[in-house]
Amino acid sequence: MQKDYKGIANISGPLMLVENVEGVKFGELAEIKLTDGTIRNGEVLEVQGNKALVQVFEGTTGIDAQNTKTRFLGRGIEMYLSEDILGKIFTGLGKPRSENDRIIPEKKMDISGAPINPFARDYPNEFIQTGISAIDGLNTLVRGQKLPIFSGSGLPHNKLAAQIARQSTVLGKEEDFAVVFVAMGITFEESQFFIEDFRSTGALSRSVLVLNLADDPAIERIATPRVGLTCAEYLAFEKDTHVLVILTDMTNYCEALREVSAARKEIPGRRGYPGYLYTDLASIYERAGKIKNKNGSITLIPILSMPEDDKTHPIPDLTGYITEGQIILSRSLNKKKVSPPIDALPSLSRLKDKGIGEGKTREDHADLFNQLYAAYARGKEVQELAVILGEAALTDIDKIYYKFAEEFESRYISQDEYENRSIEETLDLGWELLSIFPKDRLKRVRDEYLEKYFSKFKKEEDQ
Amino acid sequence: MNDNKTGKIEKVAGPLVVANNMSGARMYDVVHVSDKRLMGEVIELKGDLASIQVYEETGGIGVGEPVYTTGESLTVELGPGLMEAIYDGTQRPLDTLYEKAGDFITRGLRVTALDREKKWKFEATAEQGDAVHTGDFLGYVEETPLIKHFIMVPEGIQGTIKSIKSGEFTIEKTIAVVETDNGDKDLTMMQKWPVRKPRPFCKKLAPREPLYTGQRVIDTFFPIAKGGTACVPGPFGSGKTVIQHQLAKWAHAEVIVYIGCGERGNEMTDVLLEFPELIDPTTGQPLMKRTVLIANTSNMPVAAREASVYTGITIAEYFRDMGYSVALMADSTSRWAEAMREMSGRLEEMPGEEGYPAYLGSRIASFYERAGRVSCLSEKKDRVGALSVIGAVSPPGGDLSDPVVQATLRVVKVFWSLESNLAYSRHFPAISWLNSYSLYTDNLKEHIEEKVGEDFLNLQTESMRILEEESELEEVVRLVGIDALSASDRLTLLIARLLREDFLHQNAFHDVDTSTPISKQYKMLKTIHYFNQQAKDYLNRGADINDIENMDILDKIARMRYVKEEDQIEQIQNDIDSEISSLTGE
Ligand SMILES: Nc1ncnc2c1ncn2[C@@H]1O[C@H](COP(=O)(O)OP(=O)(O)O)[C@@H](O)[C@H]1O
Ligand SMILES: [Mg+2]
């Protein structure tokens, strides 16, 4: 029999302390009944003696210390699941957003999940063609990868994420796929942009939407990504589906976490974020992946806005330490009308090495990729030099690097929102751009590939 | 398990549990929390209250539940079966957990670290009547084609062998009986050791030999010694993990212990899938056959992450005690430090810098102190073992003023400084040649000059001088343009570029380039310097620097790294001569 505890000893920020409790467990879900009859949800953060510290997802505003009743449910937060979650919309706590979103559950799962045994993992190595050169060619995404987009306010990360969701395919495969879209504190318009985009491509019926919008309770955001990932795990590992999860905006998630930590008066880590932020983020991001002997997979694209465009801010920094690379958007490229404004040099896909090459993309991909990077890096240095010394002072070879960097940005990185380039097109475009160099400058490429590909694009007269 | 005493939970806050009625417990005792039997360790005692760090998730645990003491500290099992294993931070075998519980790690599962059923073929080398002391060999098991697993007399035992037999045994079966002053002792092939206590040795010796890694920038410029310590700090994406993997693959050590401490699950999978396929060039055997893995990834419980480095280093010491050269990689020690910080915060200890506990520095120092080249414990003292420790450090934002970096730099002797700018231009390994250092050069001088080449260290010094000069010249170019440079400065820039692009740069994912024997490194360096000499000469004879910059031979020099046959590299010097003479001849 579950007992109601009347009254609250202490309320501070999103936390409340309930006294004289018995048998309350760490991590347990609490139901808080306000005097007007509304119900709020909470989670036990700490139990000590006969006291339980509860974090209230909907906030503590309006909670009356004397008459509020708290009941502990003896379980964690659970998500009710069946394949019918596809096409449905849930709240940030995993409840149906409307009557239409109710399902008849087949099972329920605790949203905290459990760590995947590293021994059970299967290494992600299937190339996903996104049709975006700056990703496919340079920061190749593979199935089961976690690859975040580091962005900033006003940058077109949503367009990029929607384009990835729209165009992603694994070549030569027709398999069940689904999108789990998780919104944390983004605006109604932003979420509507995604929903419309999914609708227009017909992906909506294959999507699960978990929405905590800007005007929804902030603390609820702590549960939101876990709700989404629980849906994803169910679809991927029990229903053999390839799931793409988009989490946006992780910065809002981290802020909710910081708020709770501050209310608990914990010793803050960098910039006021809790010292366990790394571990906490890992418990979200590491839920992506592939498992041996399972047909499904979870590919994760978290989006986060970097406060002050600062990559060393704890949120992008700790994210980058956990995820398998990062796609970084740049404000200066955006100003130059490079779109998507992907900053190629600091962007990285750590899993590309096993997802590219013969039989996956093309034999020359790795060498070509290294060469493009090296040339672009040198080109950017030369551009900086030119700012100081003037273009005229550059050596002949540096002038070529200069031109290369410009073309690379305007033709390779830039592409239309609806342009879907095949991997062949992306690779050939790379060779075409490199063809302005003399052959002996291309040290990162094996001779055989130079013979085979470089000669194809090198104009007769310069050879 | 002997549950001698029971306490009661008074508080649960994440991985920290406080229990009362614990007056019999000792610091670092292992306890079992609640009837779910979650494993934990006592990390603070106040009166009859014990603070316990719990190695498994504590969700669903509440006040009033029991805590069982075991009277034992956190130990590892040492014996045949360690090789090729993959363990979590408290030495639970992940493959067994997978068989028992499936894809996800569930709680309260107790499995033994070493297989109790498997029989090993024990070959006795000691004989009945032999007087034996701690550390003496009783015999061995051919654990893998690469590792003879010696069975040693455990600590505290000294006496005469009463009986000993070769044959097939499980690790719990008696293989020898030793008559001691305290009666007869039955010895098995397994021993246990508390992880927080360094295993004893006879004495520490100064490191003398390099631990070659096949990585040119390391072996040539910033070498680590067998028994030495090194750290690799750098921001994310700068190549820490790839370097650690490269060392685990190609380091000339006999045993590798690789600790994935609070990092990515897929990186461990990578090792698990790749190492059995990779063949060690010297032995022709899969690299996995000399490797032990500890994987406590970032999403696994944080307290077990804290324990993982100790579990790993104790296993490494055990193989060192057999006289092996062991190399241990920990990726990343920052995650270990963060686990300490998290527990310390929950204990409400007085925080030091950045919230890390005040004892951070001493914990890091005592961890690296467990490395070393030692004369192993045994009666004859005739074995030398070495344990080299290489730790990755992941400072926030790559900022080297981070307390973990600073505490580490105070104790380690080699610093490989990773730089994001190098990584951005895909110059890998992104080890800065200007900021890194090795304090072993003096120790290793004699060995290198004798075994590699008398002029090797001169070549190395000269190369470093050229690279330093390059960075000064680049400053000039940045201010006034390349035209301001003299021809000889331009040559310096060219040579520096060859050193950077054709020697220091090394692609971990290229079949040949991935590892370079030291003899080949020497030849490559010699060739570049030979070119430098000849080009200088040629310049002095009035040549145009532009012609030198466009010589065909540069292409051959650039491809040395991909060439397996070392005599082809020696050949290049002749090609340099002939190209120059054909240029001057016309
Ligand atoms: N020696 C190398 N050769 C080729 N690529 C490398 C090398 N070192 C690093 N990389 C590239 O850099 C990426 C990041 O390296 P990693 O070791 O994972 O960084 P960190 O551990 O510092 O975050 C790798 O995925 C790989 O693409
Ligand atoms: Mg790493």
Side-chain angles (χ1 to χ4, degrees), chain B residues 229-231 333 364-371 389-391 408 411-412:
Chain B
T229 51
C231 72
T333 59
I364 289 179
S366 36
F367 171 69
Y368 283 103
E369 196 51 33
R370 291 174 77 165
V389 174
I390 300 117
T408 306
V411 290
V412 302

Side-chain angles (χ1 to χ4, degrees), chain B residues 393-412:
Chain B
V393 196
S394 320
D399 177 0
L400 295 180
S401 68
D402 163 65
V404 184
V405 175
Q406 287 304 315
T408 306
L409 286 179
R410 278 198 288 279
V411 290
V412 302

